[in-house]
Amino acid sequence: MVRSGSERAGAAGRATGGTGPARVRERFLQGERVEEGVRASILDSWERSRSLGLSPDQCDLPFRADFDPDGRIVRAAVPVLDRLQSRFSGSEINISLADASGTVLLRRFGKESMARSLPAIQTVPGFVFAEQVAGTNGIGLALAERQLIRVYGAEHFAERSQGSACVALPVRDPLSGCIEGVLCFGYPRSVDTPALGAVIRKAAQAVERRLLGQSSARERALLRAYLAAGAEVAVGLHRGVAVDELALELRPRDRAILMEKAAELISRGQRAAVDVPLPDGRRVTLVSRPMTSASGVEGIAIEAVLPGLPPGEPLGVIPRPVGELPVLAGAPAVVSAVSGPARLSFTLPSGHLPQAAPAHVAAGGEGVGPDGAGGATDEHREPPPSARGLVLVGEPHVGTYAIAARRRLELLSEASTRIGTGLDVRRTAGELAETAVPRLADFVTVDLPEAVLRGEESSDPLSDLRRTVVHGIRADLPFTPVGKRPDFGPTAPQLRCLIGGQAVLEPDLKTAAGWLAQDPEHTEQLLTHVHSLIAVPLLARGVVLGVASFYRAQDPAPFGDDDRSLAQELAARAALSIDNARRYTHERAMVLALQRRLLPHGLPDQDAVEVAHRYLPAESDVGGDWYDVIPLSGARVGLIVGDVVGHGMLSAATMGRLRTAARSFAELDFPPDEVLIHLDNLVGRLDREDPDGEGAGIIGATCLYVIYDPTSQRCVMARAGHPPPALVRPDGTVSYPDLPAGPPLGLGGLPFDAVEIDLPEDSQLVLYTDGLIEDRHRDVDVVLEELRGALARAQRTPEETCQAILDTVAPAHPCDDIALLVARTHALDPRRIASWDLPADPALVGEVRASALRRLADWGLDEAAFAAELILSELVTNAIRHGAGPIRVRLLHHRTLICEVSDASNTAPHLRRAASTDEGGRGLFLVAQLSQTWGTRYLPEGKVIWAECGLDGI
């Protein structure tokens, strides 16, 4: 089982006395394997530190003199750190602010004396505490884990920090979501308090609010610069086109289109123009104008431009839309800074919408032709004030963030429709990769335990992983191929995410020690192609299903926390779908196993027909199709196929009950129509007994039953709502007999009709279920003609016929089960049949015995003569005494010697125990002792009493 971080820590998140896991650290440094007594994040950091070759005795850290002492994060944090210093005045707490690389920028102390007593490494800004150079510490681990971190005493990797504790938290830019720095509280390990976690969170939030305030200030500066750009603009704001005014007459979707395109123009950071088509055919032209505020903030203003239109005049139509955003000639390069967009409404002449604009659009001295292409124009040519108005103002990065956020939402929306379209585990994992590439990542790998692929829960997913999906923009990268076991080292992000249950982000794989340590040669090859990684666990309903790895290659920007959140959301949705598919696979495997156990495991020995069969389960679910071959008395054979309505465990179980019942009814020698009547009653009773069905008729089935007699080469068949069989004559002629369909089983109270057909020797009977011919993409009549064509070939074995049907007729992806039974008929040699007709005269019994003995001698069955003579004598005597004429005696030399006596009476003898004083009642007992089996078969007029004698010793 995968251990969570708390499980790995055991009961000792901090060791006794607040020293941290000192003994565990000693064992780790001595090279012993450590699994318990330390938190997962700390152990992972130790592993990474060791893989980097760091020494716990290392004292010197890199020092950077070129850090910016007046950067954005510093300006935002100074007042907050001053307040913290005042709050912790007199305490032994030191407060540090580091940038995103781990370089300390600011320090504050609760006691002023601490700055004089501590070494320079803990008091002077400029030292780097990144994990790659300092090992496990608060600042470095907060950057590595990208979350709130506490480190106690011996949890530090370096010896110098064993007596200290700290709590650290990343500080993020509210607009971009990127980590701007780390806020860290350091203190002696003896003064730790849980309240420090809440204090540092509030302090980080205060710094983030000030970062957002800086962006707002830059935004306001850009807006002031736009307003001061010229009197004509200011006048235009009063009489130009207004978003607020448009909102009264445009649908919200139209307004959103304009704002979306404006944000896209800002993100381009260049002078450009675009003709924005609205859904109703009207267009508005947006122009981006680079601008600089008085304080040096450079940004973009987006205007709606409708030049040359007098107030109150209707607008025309631009001939063609512009597909791309053209960069206008002479556009200056824009140095972007984070800011928020400013929106300002502008007024549309009452009663008119911007339906179009003239072909020539100018802004800031640049022109746009009829097709949207930019060209140089007179710098003083400006549109009339009444046709210009501000839509958005901001810096290019702001538009980039807005577009990225929108695309993330679009990707999540698309994922809800693309992931989980089926119930196949591998396919669902592939859909996750296909959805993420290329909009989130350039390459995606998915590793699932073999147990999950089988539909089970994995007891040890860390050792059971198999590469299931490799998908990307190219196919030649050296990823572990599908089907192989990926070799993840102990500090690999994939294993860390599985153990911790959270996504792990490695922005720069070149410095990711845990990733590089797993397989140096393999990872070095990958580093020439990929540079950033997000590893996400696939968890659903408490079950570990695997891990997905997202790699970035083409986009030079590394993955960020927003990308990690998006990847985790995609993986969470995919994990639910994979778990659904796993559960379905498990249930389907159980149903299929039950189905196969309930189907015949082998065909009985008989000589009436040569049989081949196939069973194909549906791709989506397992149904209740079945088939059977039943040896009957008189060398006959019964062939049956059936189909229970529905799919799943209930249908499979019902199929087993119906197959058992059908076999029992057939072995009672009922004709086909009576067998269907008994099955119909049984299905109705199952419905009534179903505790959930309430007699609503939820169970239904169809069935086709055929009895073939090789002595007469005739067959009798009846069906209950089932497709008719196909008959293939020896010359290859194919026909579908005119057999009454009959109602499906379970309706009750309706009769079934049987039909008798002559079948020459070497004819073929083809029985099948509706899954073979019924498909929503094909017409049944067309499929039956295809089946006729596939069967129209003489001298083909049943096996060959089965394969030909599956190759040419069966659907490629069956949505219902297919049961197929092909039987080629044989005929019993007439020389192996002997029969005598006699009146009901006891004096003729001796003649029949004598004739039978002579025929047995001709067949070489002298050793069976004694038993056959006694059996015939008893059966013929009973028929004469208790039955009605005419009487017929028949001997069949088959696998056994079959003795049959028929008469016109419907009364049948019963085996009973005769009392010592009874004169009769011992005849059938004698027959039962001398024969292998015996029974009664009813005819339309009369009955047949038969007995079989074994020939094993002959």
Side-chain angles (χ1 to χ4, degrees), residues 397-415:
H397 277 176
V398 176
T400 302
Y401 300 149
I403 292 173
R406 186 182 73 246
R407 288 175 178 170
R408 290 188 181 101
L409 290 175
E410 291 173 350
L411 182 58
L412 287 176
S413 177
E414 182 180 333

Side-chain angles (χ1 to χ4, degrees), residues 27-47:
R27 290 168 45 209
F28 174 83
L29 293 177
Q30 292 172 3
E32 296 183 25
R33 181 177 178 83
V34 174
E35 292 186 353
E36 303 293 338
V38 62
R39 290 178 291 156
S41 59
I42 299 297
L43 181 56
D44 289 337
S45 181
W46 287 357
E47 295 276 8

Side-chain angles (χ1 to χ4, degrees), residues 65 103 121 212 290 327 348 350 352 432 480 503 535 568 638 664 758 784 945:
T103 304
I121 196 173
L212 183 61
V327 178
L348 176 73
S350 178
H352 295 285
L432 167 62
T480 301
Q568 191 152 355
S664 300
D758 290 322
L784 288 176
I945 308 298

Side-chain angles (χ1 to χ4, degrees), residues 74 175 199 247 501 580 632 669 702 721 759 869 934:
V74 173
L175 288 178
V199 173
N580 291 337
L632 302 176
D669 272 327
T702 65
L759 278 182
E869 182 180 8
W934 72 280

Side-chain angles (χ1 to χ4, degrees), residues 134-221:
T136 307
N137 69 91
I139 293 174
L141 193 53
L143 288 173
E145 297 289 334
R146 310 177 77 83
Q147 60 184 341
L148 178 70
I149 288 294
R150 290 178 181 268
V151 185
Y152 306 97
E155 290 181 333
H156 289 89
F157 189 76
E159 290 288 350
R160 63 175 177 272
S161 303
Q162 300 298 292
S164 303
C166 63
V167 57
L169 179 66
V171 177
R172 302 177 186 275
D173 185 301
L175 288 178
S176 67
C178 297
I179 293 178
E180 290 288 323
V182 176
L183 190 60
C184 181
F185 295 170
Y187 43 88
R189 64 193 183 203
S190 59
V191 298
D192 178 45
T193 172
L196 289 178
V199 173
I200 200 170
R201 288 186 187 278
K202 291 182 178 179
Q205 292 172 359
V207 176
E208 291 171 352
R209 285 195 298 270
R210 289 183 58 81
L211 285 172
L212 183 61
Q214 290 180 9
S215 299
S216 301
R218 298 169 69 90
E219 167 193 309
R220 289 192 294 271

Side-chain angles (χ1 to χ4, degrees), residues 576-905:
L576 284 175
S577 298
I578 289 174
D579 192 47
N580 291 337
R582 180 192 65 82
R583 290 166 177 253
Y584 166 76
T585 300
H586 180 65
E587 181 178 348
R588 185 176 187 272
M590 291 193 301
V591 175
L592 187 57
L594 174 64
Q595 175 86 316
R596 294 196 181 280
R597 291 291 298 175
L598 295 176
L599 288 173
H601 293 172
L603 297 179
D605 294 332
Q606 48 81 35
D607 295 329
V609 292
E610 178 187 354
V611 178
H613 57 89
R614 296 287 190 279
Y615 171 73
L616 274 69
E619 284 193 349
S620 58
D621 206 348
V622 179
D625 292 18
W626 90 92
Y627 60 88
D628 211 344
V629 178
I630 308 168
L632 302 176
S633 64
R636 299 169 307 140
V637 65
L639 306 173
I640 189 167
V641 292
D643 182 6
V644 176
V645 174
H647 297 85
M649 190 71 74
L650 176 61
S651 295
T654 303
M655 176 275 290
R657 300 174 72 175
L658 289 183
R659 176 178 172 255
T660 301
R663 190 176 187 91
S664 300
F665 295 145
E667 289 177 346
L668 290 174
D669 272 327
F670 291 140
D673 52 335
E674 291 191 24
V675 169
L676 295 183
I677 290 174
H678 288 296
L679 290 176
D680 181 55
N681 294 333
L682 173 63
V683 172
R685 187 165 61 254
L686 293 177
D687 261 350
R688 292 190 295 273
E689 294 174 354
D690 181 16
D692 300 322
E694 299 181 355
I698 63 168
I699 298 177
T702 65
C703 186
L704 169 63
Y705 183 36
V706 178
I707 296 178
Y708 173 69
D709 188 346
T711 63
S712 62
Q713 301 178 41
R714 296 180 66 82
C715 72
V716 182
M717 61 182 71
R719 60 178 176 140
H722 201 85
L727 304 182
V728 185
R729 304 285 177 175
D731 60 357
T733 304
V734 182
S735 64
Y736 299 100
D738 187 12
L739 178 62
L745 300 177
L747 295 183
L750 298 175
F752 300 94
D753 297 322
V755 173
E756 190 170 355
I757 299 174
D758 290 322
L759 278 182
E761 187 175 10
D762 288 332
S763 298
Q764 288 193 2
L765 272 168
V766 180
L767 288 70
Y768 50 88
T769 54
D770 58 2
L772 178 68
I773 62 172
E774 292 185 3
D775 183 51
R776 57 173 169 250
H777 303 296
R778 303 185 299 174
D779 184 81
V780 173
D781 293 334
V782 174
V783 179
L784 288 176
E785 286 303 313
E786 292 178 357
L787 178 60
R788 185 193 300 272
L791 296 174
R793 180 178 172 183
Q795 304 303 319
R796 187 157 53 182
T797 66
E799 285 288 343
E800 294 172 341
T801 301
C802 275
Q803 195 58 47
I805 293 173
L806 295 182
D807 291 342
T808 60
V809 181
H813 304 284
C815 56
D816 194 6
D817 291 15
I818 297 175
L820 179 62
L821 190 64
V822 178
R824 183 167 66 182
T825 62
H826 297 304
L828 187 60
D829 190 344
R831 292 172 296 180
R832 288 175 167 255
I833 303 174
S835 62
W836 299 271
D837 293 323
L838 64 153
D841 184 356
L844 299 178
V845 174
E847 295 182 9
V848 172
R849 289 202 305 264
S851 299
L853 290 175
R854 287 193 296 272
R855 183 54 64 91
L856 293 177
D858 294 339
W859 289 341
L861 303 179
D862 293 331
E863 294 186 14
F866 175 74
E869 182 180 8
L870 291 178
I871 290 173
L872 284 176
S873 178
E874 181 61 33
L875 294 181
V876 172
T877 301
N878 279 344
I880 293 175
R881 180 177 297 180
H882 303 291
I887 297 172
R888 183 181 178 86
V889 178
R890 189 170 71 159
L891 293 179
L892 302 177
H893 183 192
H894 192 49
R895 290 175 174 267
T896 59
L897 177 62
I898 303 173
C899 306
E900 296 182 346
V901 177
S902 61
D903 66 84
S905 172

Side-chain angles (χ1 to χ4, degrees), residues 530-552:
V530 299
H531 62 79
S532 192
L533 165 67
I534 302 174
V536 188
L538 298 173
L539 304 173
R541 304 181 180 99
V543 178
V544 178
L545 301 171
V547 59
S549 302
F550 301 83
Y551 295 89
R552 181 163 285 178

